[in-house]
Every structure is written in structure tokens, then in C-alpha cells.
């Protein structure tokens, strides 16, 4: 019964009003008096249309079983109270609203007709017919409105008890949504405010594995870092703690405007570099930080460790001398010194590799095309007595300050570069700095926020089109995305892991797909729930039952595929796998907890909006169809088409799969280089070749680096203070002007020598001190074949050479010979050698020889020097060892003594660097046998180890000990004091604390550095074979060493790279096998069908093969770290869509809710029935999830970071391939070969018995 306004009656399509008709008021008779015989219903409460059933339970409204709760206790259509009111009765509010509208319309109509006809009106038959049609149309419109009200408001009582959780969620949907949002975002707010987030922007973390080499090398680096800064102060109980940030500037000559042969020592290049660095130092932020730096470190930021220190020092003269007495290394001089002199000064301070490339050959006319400048800001932070919270706050504040300084002041100037020369950019400026990668990543991300906004806008628009709700489209993605920061908080609190790889930000895009998948599942089941229940609690309960089980099948399988990475030996993969596994499950929980009640809240809000809009328009609101019926019809059409060609589709897919694999495998190229995250023209890539020319800054500019002396002493009188005079520069005036072009020492030649007799008292030994100007070193064969005949000829008869007189000459500062008149300066290499001779009388104590080799240009010497008539001839060296590998490409191997490394590692979470190493308790260098064993380790290198050069602290300490106390090793009580003197006063290459760890003045550990004549870029097989030789040597030494010296281990970056790459490949294969195995087991657990589970595994494998084809053949990429990681990342995503279809195919609901097709083959009927049900049930969710993921991935392709660009392209490819296979070949395979009764009989659910899904009515 449809309740109409009380002044209207409709019968058989005619309408009349209770008000007097016009012909009655005018006194006229009605043309058809039978129209007056109209029955009224109980005082005008309502009317009905005869001859047509409007019962909601009638055939027009099949399936409607609702009953209005508002109508209980109301009146029936006959006006009497009814215990069982009519299901279609309208509410009192609706009746009043319709009655008011009808009265207004009737009054307006009578007034209009009365004015027109002068108070009387006799309608014609056509006019009465039009009035009847208008009234019937109004009745039908009112009927639709009332039915909508009945459907939305007049619901049957729910079967759920009032204490049922779903009942509470449905009744208080708004409160549930707000409460869950408050909890989620409250946790987010507290976590983000209290937990520090550190971003790992390098792929080096992917090379940290659980293999022995990686663990030891990581511990070695942490131990080195502990010697300075915060960790050192904590570990070694220092009182003052410092914070340091570094900046490195690289200059590269381009060849435009200045020839490459001119080099960067050219005056124009020096001027440009000086101007550029001055502009850096004059930055306001730079000046502020440098003023706050520690006093002993101010020179590291102004002028910094720059080449200009040594090239343009300030020269200090005394009197009228033409030769300076000293030079101040302040980079503020007006006249450049000779290149070789500048390099000599660098070598004396052991900073040559800090400024110049490793493989640069030092000559008189050296012209480097690349140089490096280093700056350090070392500021006091706090003291060891401060609390950890105070230290952390200071560190974070300094880090934030550094980031702002780099972004606002330094980066704009670095990107601008040096000045142009003759209109050309003749110097490229590249850079690196502390935290520069993370800073530039943040800058790039900020630049890409527009793309992120577009991606989110696209997702919102698509969700709005699908849901027709602004509220759902806005909150839905945000709910899913909130799982990413919540997962970070969970990992930070539970695993103490606050450092995440920047690759984890890929989760923001992946979770859009996973979250949207769950959202569409809930949305589609909610839209379909009205077919079975009209009550909101019942609809929500049914939605939960269907959506939870369906989405859990895919979400659980996807989470397991990510968690399978826990089996990897690569820590970064384990952490990302765990992160994504938790993130996917958390997104599933959040969508169920927030989005599902949001559906109820949105429905109620939408009703109010529609009613309000209808009242404003004066009409009625029509329900919007959101069930996606057109998609279901589209899927059915596609199924009928693919059913006819199911075998063809299946075979074509298999052929394409095999063909793609066949053409891809031969073209696979493996890349061993670490990928970059920036574009090719970015500093990180374009300047990499220049940066690779230099030794690692962590070695040359370590955390314990101290500023060298700023004053260099100039020795004007040759050999004034003996051989080892301690001069920084040997500088003299030329004795005469010589027209000579060749100044280089050719390795052999004649020497012009001058001699001066020594007059000091001496013992039975006499010493002949030899200085050679020209050669910087001489070999043993040259000494025996050249120097020995010269000494034998020129020595007194009563002198004989002592045994063991041959030793390696000491390399001295080069000698600068200056011709003041011509302005020519020549720098010659210099070396000294003291030869001990046995004498039979006391006539003389020996002599000094000053030999100028390979040149006629000699120094102006005093009158006490006499030229030797005998010519010294130095032959070609015959015992030189030729290296197979250039020094810049030699492998560095470090052997550590006194440290122990724990063998256990954390499965997840980050480890405290202090926990990765500790001092060995049994190691004691005070013991004489420990000293003997360590010296033997360095003194007897086997040829198989290919040691080209070594830096051994114990070997140099032995020399110092023998010269100081006359013996080695020292006694136990002597070692501490003598070693402390050696650290401070020694002039050897291992002086200082670079090669030792000190604690309380006592040496607790040392390491030996070796450059092996073996390429650091050797292949994995060759590198591991070379490592085995070192393993054998160190193991043998540990077995033979004294107990207080044992425990040595060797580390090398080459070992780590070789083993990590090998483990990366093997671990990837193992992880893939585990992934597919877990995926199969998880799918079998949900589908109970081995056949269907295998189909999904094969479909996923096909997606992976398609991705490989896309990488290798379409884009011609090499398979490197990023590609391997991406394949592992996307396997979990590739499972999703196919599993949805397979899961629904195995559901017994397909046999109940889907109408069978009239095929002859019964198995084909069942297969088609199941496949059609799967596509119509999950096809919309699959397409929605694929559309949102593909859309966001499309915007990802245009990001500034190439890492995300490449992953975006691969994610887009995987998404498209997954959805195509899930909706195309997989249904075709299921219709062709799918099981008719999937799963075991004892495991299948019987929905008919449980009553979870009532039998649907046959389709119309």
C-alpha cells in the first residue's frame, strides 16, 4: 500500500481530490457522475490503486524481506492499530511531508483554474486523461521515494544480540571510526614526535651480510670510528665529546678555456679555485659554524685542507735573503711555490692522497687534472658526564642545523660551480659531504611532492568514481597509508630499529595497491550485502564474514611472501621483508577496523544528504547504483568469449612465456656495481669518475685526523745539521746559470759530488754521510754496483766498509735550486744514506758527500766544500720489482690484532656499533713475545700474498726502540713509556694514533695495513681464491703465536664485496624458492586444492618472467642489485590478483549463487559457473586495486630519483601483467583444466548447511 496525501484518492489510475471540484462550486453537474462513487479509506488516511499490486513482497520487488522498525505500533492502512503493520507503510514524517506538498499543489491548481475560467470549469476528456496520467506519475514517484525510505529506514529487526560487537559497530559507526582514528593517529603523533627517524640513503647496507667477512669488516670500521667523536668519548672515557661534519669539493679540468696539459696547478686554475673557496668560507652560516669549532680544529674549516695551503703559502724572509726562512701554510700567499715543492710539503704531512689522485705520478712538471679540498666542522657537543638524552638532543640539533645550512647556503653555491674562463666552464665542481645523500634525497622528495599529490589525487578520484562517496575516497587511502608509519613505530619500539633504508619508502606505493585491494573487497561485499540482508547490522556482519576471509587469503599469502625474506643473509632484505610483512597485515587490520564501520557511517550520511537535496529540489532522491553491475556484465561477456577460445588463450600464453624466457636468458648481463639513486647528470653520477680517482676520504681524512703544522722550516745551508736535519724544504741558490732542459732523474747516470770533512770526535767507526740530489731512492744493486766502487776509490786507505753497510736510503725533502737572475727554479728528489766504516787510526771521523746526479745544476756551497774528482756512476737498477697493478687499483687488506668480534648477529633490528667489537682480554703488547710475533708477521710476507707495500706499527717501533734503548723487544715495564714516546716523537709513517687503539695511555689493539699487488676490481672467483691465501697465512700465524698475541683477523672491502655478491645471488635463489613454496602452502591452506594453488604459482612465475623480459629486452638493463631486490619485492604483489580469482573459484558459494550455463559438457558447466562467480565477485576489486596501483606507479616513473623511477616502471609492469594474467589466461586455464570439485571433501565448507549464503533467486 502506498500512502498518499489524505485529500487524494487513486483508483484504477484515476485521481480525485477531497476538495469540491470546480463544477460543484459553480452549481453545475459533473459530466460523468459515476466518478463521484469513490470510496475513501478510514477518514482519508490513505488510498490505494486498484488492479495493481504494490506490495514490496510482490514479484516486482523480489528478495525484499525488510520490515520497518518505525512502523511498529503505528496504524494500518485502514486506520486501525495493527500488531503486524504493513511492510510498505510510510512513516508519519513521510506522510506529513507528502500531504503538505500535495495540499500546496492542489491549492495552486484550483486557483489557477478558477482565475482562468471565472469560477467554473468543465474539463474535457483529454484534459481529464492528462490529469489522471499526471497523478499516476506522481503516485509512482512517491512510491519510489517511500520504497527508498522503507529500504533505508524500515529495516527488519537484526538477528544479532545487542551485545554482539558488530551490532555495536553498526549502531555506533561514527564513534567507532573516530575512536579508531584517534588511536591510530595518536600513536602516530606520539611515535613521530619521540622516535628519531634516520634514513639510510646508500645501497651499501645491502652489502652488509651475515657472512664472516662482512661482520668483521663492519666491526673494524666501527672500531675505527670509535677512536674519535661521540663513541670514542663514551668508550675511552673522554671528558669532551665532539660532533663533526665534513664537506669535500672536487675540481676537474674540462679542457675548455684551459688545456688539460696545463693542469690545475696553472695560475688561472689556482685563482679560480681560490675565489670559489673564499666564496664558500665567506658564507654567513660557514663563518658561524667555524667560529664555534674547537680551537684545534678551526683550521680545518678555514682555510680547510685545501691544495692552496701548499701551493700559495705565505713566505717569510729574514733580512735581505733571497730564500725564505720559513713558509706559513695558510693559503694566503701571493706567489706560488714550485709544484713539486708543494707536493713535497704534502708528502711530509702525509696528505698527498687527500689532495691528489692516487695514481698520479709526481714529476717536476706534474699537471693534475683533478684535485680535492676537504673541510671539517668539529664542534663541542657535550661532556661524558651529560645524560644520554642531553647528548642525543645536542646531536639531533646539530644534525638539523647542518642540513639547513647545506640546503640553504652550500648546495646553491656548489651547483653554481666555479667561474667561467673565456666563456667556457673550464672547471667542473663536484662535491660530497656528511649526510649529503640523505639531504639531497630529502630535497628530491620535496621536489617530487607534486607527483605524490597527483598520485594521491588520482587514487582519490578513482575511489570516488567507484564508491560515489567523497568521505570514503578521502579516508580510505589515508587509512591504508597510515600503516607505513605505524609499522615504523612498531619496529622502532619492538626492535629498536630507527634507521630505515630509503628503499622502504617504496612501501608507500606498494601499500596503495595492497590497501586498495582490501578496500575494494570490503566495498564490493558491502554493496552486494543488500541482496541478502536489509538490516545494517546484518549487512555489516555478512560483509565482515565474506571480506575478512577473502582478503585474509591474499593478504596472508602476500605477507608470508615478504616474511620469507627473513631467510636471507642480507640484513637489508630481512628488514624490508619484515617491514612489508607487518605493513601489509597492519593495513588489513586498519581497513577492517576503520573502513568497514566507515561504510555504515557513509551510508547514513549519504541518506541525509540525498534527502536534504531532494527537499531543496522539491522532488525525490534516487538511489545511486554502486554494485558495479556493468562490470559484472562485462566480465560475463568476456568469459563467454574466452570460453570459446580457452585452449587457444592458454596455449598462446604458454608460448609467449617460453618465448620471452628464451630470448631473455641469453641476453642477461650481471652488474656488480652499486646502483645510484640520482639521474645521470646529477653530481652523484657525473662526478663519480672524478671522486674515484682519490683514495677514500674515510682513510685520508679519518675522524682522528689532526690539522698539520702550519709552519714549514726552510733549510738554506745544505746538510747544516747533518743528514736528517728535520727541514721541510731544502732551498738553495744555484752556483751558476746552466742552460739545461732536462731536470728529471732518469734512474741512472753520473753524479757530480762535493765533499766536506767532519772534524767532530768519534769512536773506532767513521761515517760517510751521502746526500744524493736527483734520485729520491736507490736500490741495493745500485748501492753495491755504483756507490761501493766510488767509496772504495775515494776513501782513505785505513777505512774499510763495515759489514751490513747497505741499507735503504732515507727519502728526504726535495731540493729546490733557484736561479735568481733567470727566475728558473728546479726541484730535484733527494735521499740520504749514512755508511758506517771501520778505521784504523783517528785521523778523521768521516765526511759528508753532496752529489748532484743527472744534472749540471748544483747548489752554491760554502768554501769548506770541495768537488770530488772521482765521478759517481749509478747504474740501472736490476732488482726493482715491477707491480702488475697500479697503486690506485691495488687491494687494501687490514690485519687487526687485539680486537674480538662477536659471532652472533641480530635477526632484525639495528645493532649498537659498540656491541659489534670489543678488546681482547688476553692481548698484551707489553710481553716481549707479543712484540716478536707481531714484528715477524710484518717482516716475512710470503710471495703468494703479493704485498706491494705495508704500514706496520711494530716494525717502525722496532727501529725506534733499537735507536732509543739499543734493543728490541722491550721489557714489560719499558713498553708503555717507550711506546708513548714513539707515538708522539717518531718520524715514521706509522707515528701517531692512526694504527693503534689506546686506552688510558696503554695500547690495547693495533692493525697493519697492506697494499696488495692484486686488483680490487677482480672477479668474485679470483677474489675469494686470494682471500683463501690470506686465511691460511693468518691462521698459521695465530697457531704459532704466543698466547698474548693471538686473535688476529684480516678484513678487506674486496672480501666483503665478493662474498656479498655471491651470497646475494645464492640468497636470491633460496629466497625465491622459499617465496614460491610458502605461497603454494598458503594458497593450499585457503583453497584446499593443489591444482588451483599450482595454477597461481605458475601465473606468478609468468609475471616474474614478464618482468625479466621487460628489464632485459625492453629496457636493456643489466641485472644488478636493484633488479634483484625488485624481483623479490614484487613477488608478493604478483600473487595478489591471481589468488583472488583462484580463491573464489574454489568457493562453494559459486554453486549456489551463480546460474549454470546450458553447456553439453557437465564439467564445462561447473568450471564456467565457478569462474564466472570468481570474476563477478572479485573482478571489480582486482581491477580497482590494479588501477590504483598502476596509476600511482605511473607518477612514480617521473620522480627525480632514478631508483624510484626504475622501481615505478617495474611496479607498473608487474601490476599490468598481474591483472592481465589474473583476468585472462588464468580464467581460461581454469575453464579448460580447472578442478570441478576443488579441495578435499572433509575440508570444504558447506554454505548451504551453514546458511551463510542463502540461495539466490534465478536471474531475470
Amino acid at each position: 500500500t502506498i500512502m498518499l496525501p489524505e485529500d487524494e484518492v487513486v483508483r484504477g489510475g484515476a485521481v480525485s481530490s477531497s476538495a469540491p471540484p470546480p463544477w460543484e462550486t459553480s452549481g453545475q453537474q459533473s459530466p460523468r457522475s459515476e466518478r463521484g462513487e469513490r470510496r475513501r479509506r478510514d477518514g482519508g488516511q490513505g488510498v490505494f490503486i486498484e488492479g495493481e499490486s504494490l506490495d514490496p513482497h510482490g514479484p516486482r520487488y523480489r528478495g525484499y524481506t525488510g520490515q520497518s522498525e518505525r512502523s511498529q505500533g503505528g496504524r494500518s492502512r485502514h486506520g486501525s492499530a495493527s500488531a503486524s503493520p504493513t511492510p510498505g507503510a510510510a512513516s508519519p514524517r513521510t506522510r506529513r511531508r507528502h500531504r503538505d506538498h500535495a495540499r500546496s499543489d492542489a491549492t495552486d491548481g484550483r486557483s489557477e483554474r478558477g482565475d482562468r475560467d471565472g469560477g467554473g470549469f468543465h474539463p474535457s476528456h483529454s484534459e481529464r486523461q492528462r490529469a489522471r496520467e499526471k497523478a499516476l506519475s506522481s503516485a509512482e514517484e512517491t512510491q519510489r521515494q517511500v520504497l527508498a525510505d522503507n529500504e533505508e529506514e524500515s529495516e527488519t529487526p537484526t538477528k544479532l544480540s545487542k551485545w554482539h560487537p558488530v551490532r555495536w559497530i553498526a549502531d555506533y559507526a561514527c564513534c567507532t571510526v573516530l575512536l579508531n582514528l584517534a588511536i591510530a593517529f595518536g600513536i602516530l603523533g606520539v611515535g613521530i614526535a619521540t622516535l628519531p627517524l634516520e634514513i639510510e640513503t646508500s645501497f651499501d647496507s645491502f652489502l652488509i651480510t651475515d657472512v664472516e667477512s662482512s661482520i668483521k669488516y663492519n666491526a673494524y670500521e666501527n672500531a675505527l670510528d670509535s677512536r674519535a667523536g661521540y663513541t670514542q668519548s663514551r668508550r675511552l672515557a673522554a671528558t669532551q665529546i665532539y660532533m663533526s661534519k665534513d664537506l669535500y669539493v672536487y675540481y676537474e679540468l674540462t679542457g675548455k678555456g684551459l688545456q688539460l696539459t696545463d693542469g690545475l696547478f696553472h695560475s688561472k686554475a689556482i685563482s679560480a679555485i681560490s675565489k670559489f673557496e673564499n666564496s664558500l668560507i665567506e658564507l654567513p652560516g660557514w663563518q658561524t659554524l667555524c667560529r664555534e669549532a674547537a680551537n684545534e680544529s678551526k683550521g680545518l674549516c678555514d682555510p680547510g685542507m685545501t691544495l692552496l695551503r701548499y701551493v700559495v703559502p705565505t713566505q717569510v724572509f729574514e733580512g735581505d735573503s733571497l730564500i725564505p726562512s720559513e713558509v706559513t701554510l695558510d693559503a694566503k700567499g701571493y706567489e706560488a711555490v714550485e709544484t713539486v715543492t708543494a707536493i713535497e710539503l704534502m708528502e711530509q704531512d702525509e696528505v698527498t692522497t687527500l689532495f691528489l689522485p692516487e695514481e698520479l705520478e709526481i714529476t717536476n712538471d706534474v699537471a693534475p687534472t683533478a684535485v680535492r679540498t676537504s673541510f671539517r666542522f668539529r664542534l663541542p657537543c657535550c661532556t661524558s658526564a651529560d645524560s644520554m638524552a642531553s647528548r642525543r638532543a645536542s646531536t639531533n640539533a646539530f644534525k638539523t642545523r647542518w642540513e639547513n645550512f647545506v640546503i640553504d647556503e652550500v648546495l646553491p653555491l656548489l651547483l653554481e660551480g666555479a667561474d667561467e674562463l673565456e666563456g667556457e666552464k673550464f672547471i667542473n665542481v663536484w662535491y660530497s659531504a656528511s649526510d649529503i645523500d640523505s639531504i639531497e634525497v630529502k630535497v628530491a622528495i620535496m621536489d617530487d611532492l607534486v607527483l605524490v599529490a597527483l598520485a594521491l589525487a588520482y587514487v582519490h578520484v578513482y575511489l570516488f568514481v567507484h564508491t560515489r562517496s567523497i568521505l570514503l575516497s578521502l579516508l580510505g587511502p589515508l587509512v591504508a597509508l597510515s600503516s607505513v608509519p605505524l609499522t615504523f613505530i612498531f619496529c622502532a619500539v619492538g626492535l629498536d630499529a630507527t634507521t630505515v633504508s630509503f628503499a622502504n619508502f617504496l612501501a608507500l606505493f606498494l601499500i596503495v595497491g595492497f590497501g586498495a585491494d582490501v578496500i575494494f573487497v570490503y566495498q564490493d561485499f558491502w554493496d552486494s550485502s543488500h541482496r541478502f540482508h536489509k538490516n545494517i547490522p546484518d549487512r555489516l556482519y555478512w560483509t565482515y564474514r565474506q571480506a575478512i576471509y577473502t582478503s585474509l587469503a591474499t593478504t596472508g599469502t602476500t605477507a608470508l611472501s615478504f616474511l620469507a625474506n627473513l631467510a636471507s643473509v642480507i640484513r637489508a632484505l630481512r628488514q624490508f621483508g619484515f617491514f612489508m610483512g607487518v605493513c601489509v597485515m597492519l593495513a588489513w587490520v586498519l581497513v577492517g577496523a576503520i573502513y568497514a564501520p566507515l561504510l555504515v557511517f557513509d551510508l547514513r550520511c549519504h541518506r541525509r544528504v540525498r534527502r536534504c537535496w531532494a527537499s531543496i529540489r522539491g522532488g525525490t532522491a534516487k538511489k545511486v547504483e554502486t554494485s558495479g553491475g556493468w562490470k559484472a556484465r562485462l566480465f560475463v561477456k568476456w568469459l563467454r568469449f574466452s570460453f570459446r577460445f580457452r585452449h587457444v588463450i592458454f596455449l598462446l600464453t604458454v608460448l609467449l612465456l617460453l618465448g620471452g624466457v628464451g630470448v631473455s636468458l641469453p641476453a642477461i648481463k650481471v652488474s656488480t656495481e652499486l646502483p645510484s639513486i640520482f639521474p645521470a647528470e646529477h653530481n652523484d653520477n657525473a662526478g663519480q669518475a672524478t671522486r674515484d680517482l682519490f683514495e677514500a676520504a674515510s682513510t685520508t681524512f679519518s675522524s682522528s685526523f689532526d690539522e698539520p703544522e702550519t709552519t714549514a722550516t726552510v733549510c738554506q745551508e745544505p746538510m747544516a745539521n747533518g743528514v736528517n736535519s728535520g727541514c721541510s724544504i731544502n732551498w738553495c741558490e744555484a752556483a751558476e746559470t746552466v742552460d739545461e732542459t732536462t731536470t728529471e732523474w732518469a734512474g741512472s747516470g753520473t753524479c757530480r759530488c762535493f765533499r766536506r770533512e767532519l772534524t767532530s770526535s768519534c769512536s773506532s767507526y767513521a761515517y760517510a754521510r751521502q746526500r744524493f740530489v736527483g734520485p729520491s731512492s736507490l736500490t741495493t744493486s745500485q748501492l753495491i754496483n755504483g756507490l761501493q766502487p766510488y767509496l772504495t776509490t775515494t776513501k782513505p786507505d785505513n777505512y774499510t766498509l763495515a759489514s751490513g753497510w747497505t741499507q735503504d736510503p732515507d727519502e728526504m725533502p726535495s731540493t729546490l735550486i733557484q736561479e735568481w737572475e733567470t727566475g728558473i727554479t728546479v726541484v730535484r728528489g733527494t735521499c740520504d744514506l749514512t755508511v758506517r766504516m771501520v778505521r784504523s787510526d783517528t785521523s778523521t771521523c768521516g765526511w759528508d758527500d753532496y752529489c748532484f746526479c743527472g744534472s749540471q745544476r748544483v747548489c752554491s756551497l760554502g768554501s769548506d766544500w770541495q768537488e770530488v774528482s772521482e765521478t759517481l756512476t749509478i747504474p740501472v737498477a736490476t732488482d726493482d720489482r715491477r707491480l702488475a697493478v697500479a697503486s690506485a687499483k691495488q687491494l687494501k687488506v687490514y690485519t687487526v690484532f687485539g680486537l674480538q668480534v662477536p659471532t652472533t648477529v641480530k635477526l632484525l633490528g639495528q645493532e649498537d656499533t659498540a656491541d659489534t667489537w670489543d678488546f681482547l682480554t688476553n692481548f698484551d703488547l707489553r710481553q716481549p713475545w707479543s712484540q716478536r710475533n707481531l714484528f715477524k708477521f710484518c717482516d716475512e710476507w710470503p710471495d703468494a700474498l703479493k704485498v706491494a707495500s705495508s704500514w706496520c706499527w711494530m716494525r717502525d717501533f722496532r727501529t725506534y726502540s733499537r735507536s732509543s734503548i739499543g734493543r728490541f723487544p722491550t721489557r714489560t715495564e719499558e713498553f708503555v713509556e717507550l711506546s708513548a714516546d714513539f707515538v708522539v716523537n717518531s718520524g715514521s709513517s706509522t707515528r701517531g694514533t692512526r694504527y693503534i687503539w689506546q686506552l688510558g695511555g696503554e695500547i690495547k689493539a693495533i692493525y697493519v695495513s697492506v697494499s696488495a699487488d692484486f686488483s680490487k676490481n677482480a672477479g668474485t672467483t679470483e677474489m675469494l681464491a686470494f682471500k683463501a691465501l690470506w686465511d691460511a697465512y693468518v691462521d698459521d700465524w695465530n697457531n704459532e703465536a704466543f698466547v698474548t698475541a693471538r686473535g688476529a683477523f684480516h678484513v678487506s672491502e674486496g672480501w666483503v664485496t665478493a662474498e656479498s655478491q655471491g651470497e646475494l645471488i645464492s640468497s636470491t635463489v633460496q629466497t625465491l624458492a622459499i617465496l614460491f613454496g610458502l605461497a603454494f602452502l598458503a594458497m593450499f591452506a585457503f583453497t584446499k586444492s593443489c591444482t588451483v594453488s599450482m595454477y597461481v604459482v605458475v601465473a606468478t612465475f609468468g609475471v616474474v618472467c614478464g618482468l625479466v623480459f621487460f628489464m632485459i629486452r625492453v629496457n636493456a638493463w643489466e641485472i644488478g642489485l636493484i633488479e634483484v631486490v625488485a624481483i623479490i619485492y614484487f613477488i608478493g604483489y604478483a600473487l595478489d590478483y591471481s589468488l583472488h580469482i583462484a580463491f573464489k573459484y574454489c568457493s562453494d558459494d559459486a554453486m549456489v549463487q551463480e546460474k549454470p550455463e546450458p553447456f553439453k559438457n557437465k564439467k564445462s558447466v561447473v568450471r564456467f559457473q565457478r569462474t564466472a562467480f570468481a570474476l563477478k565477485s572479485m573482478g571489480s576489486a582486482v581491477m580497482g586495486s590494479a588501477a590504483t596501483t598502476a596509476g600511482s606507479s605511473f607518477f612514480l616513473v617521473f620522480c627525480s630519483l632514478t631508483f624510484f623511477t626504475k622501481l615505478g616502471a617495474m611496479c607498473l609492469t608487474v601490476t599490468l601483467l598481474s591483472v592481465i594474467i589474473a583476468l585472462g589466461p588464468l580464467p581460461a586455464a581454469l575453464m579448460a583444466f580447472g578442478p570441478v570439485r576443488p579441495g578435499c571433501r572433509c575440508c570444504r565448507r558447506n554454505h548451504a548447511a551453514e546458511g551463510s549464503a542463502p540461495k539466490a533467486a534465478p536471474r531475470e
Side-chain angles (χ1 to χ4, degrees), residues 306-379:
T306 172
L307 184 75
L308 304 178
R309 275 178 175 258
Y310 301 91
V311 175
V312 284
T314 300
Q315 302 179 18
V316 180
F317 296 88
E318 293 182 357
D320 57 353
S321 174
L322 299 178
I323 300 175
S325 60
E326 65 179 22
V327 293
T328 303
L329 308 178
D330 56 0
K332 297 179 181 179
Y334 295 98
E335 184 178 356
V337 300
E338 284 295 319
T339 299
V340 178
T341 300
I343 295 176
E344 287 285 346
L345 292 174
M346 299 178 205
E347 290 179 342
Q348 292 176 27
D349 291 336
E350 298 182 1
V351 293
T352 306
T353 55
L354 182 61
F355 301 118
L356 301 177
E358 281 186 291
E359 59 184 8
L360 182 67
E361 183 179 357
I362 306 300
T363 59
N364 282 350
D365 55 352
V366 62
T369 58
V371 296
R372 173 173 63 183
T373 298
S374 304
F375 300 97
R376 172 166 292 167
F377 299 90
R378 189 167 183 259
L379 277 65

Side-chain angles (χ1 to χ4, degrees), residues 82 158 170 221 352 356 414 430 475 540 580 645 770 921 992 1083:
S82 173
T158 178
E221 288 192 323
T352 306
L356 301 177
L414 290 174
W430 312 113
L475 288 182
L540 184 61
M580 280 303 304
F645 304 100
Q770 308 292 314
T921 57
M1083 287 181 288

Side-chain angles (χ1 to χ4, degrees), residues 477-597:
L478 294 180
V479 169
L481 286 175
S482 64
S483 63
V484 177
L486 285 175
T487 304
F488 164 73
I489 294 173
F490 171 80
C491 294
V493 174
L495 303 175
D496 192 26
T498 57
T499 301
V500 297
S501 172
F502 76 99
N504 285 22
F505 285 92
L506 181 65
L508 292 173
F509 294 90
L510 292 180
I511 208 64
V512 169
F514 293 124
D517 182 51
V518 182
I519 286 174
F520 285 125
V521 169
Y522 272 91
Q523 184 69 50
D524 289 350
F525 278 116
W526 171 256
D527 292 338
S528 302
S529 62
H530 75 278
R531 296 167 53 196
F532 308 106
H533 304 281
K534 294 302 177 182
N535 186 276
I536 288 180
D538 291 338
R539 290 182 61 185
L540 184 61
Y541 179 73
W542 185 86
T543 300
Y544 266 127
R545 287 197 61 185
Q546 299 296 323
I548 286 178
Y549 192 71
T550 301
S551 59
L552 181 61
T554 55
T555 304
T557 304
T558 303
L560 279 177
S561 66
F562 281 115
L563 293 176
N565 289 285
L566 293 176
S568 175
V569 297
I570 301 175
R571 299 183 190 178
L573 285 182
R574 289 204 307 266
Q575 292 175 0
F576 179 81
F578 181 80
F579 184 90
M580 280 303 304
V582 174
C583 190
V584 169
M585 292 306 301
L586 194 56
W588 178 76
V589 172
L590 289 174
V591 171
I594 298 177
Y595 189 80

Side-chain angles (χ1 to χ4, degrees), residues 385-406:
D386 294 335
S387 63
M388 291 297 297
S390 175
R391 299 180 192 180
R392 188 179 297 111
S394 300
T395 303
N396 292 336
F398 180 58
K399 182 178 180 180
T400 303
R401 183 180 177 187
W402 170 256
E403 290 181 357
N404 295 333
F405 167 62
V406 171

Side-chain angles (χ1 to χ4, degrees), residues 691-703:
R691 290 191 294 269
D692 287 343
L693 298 175
F694 298 85
E695 189 175 352
S698 59
T699 303
T700 59
F701 202 51
S702 64
S703 56

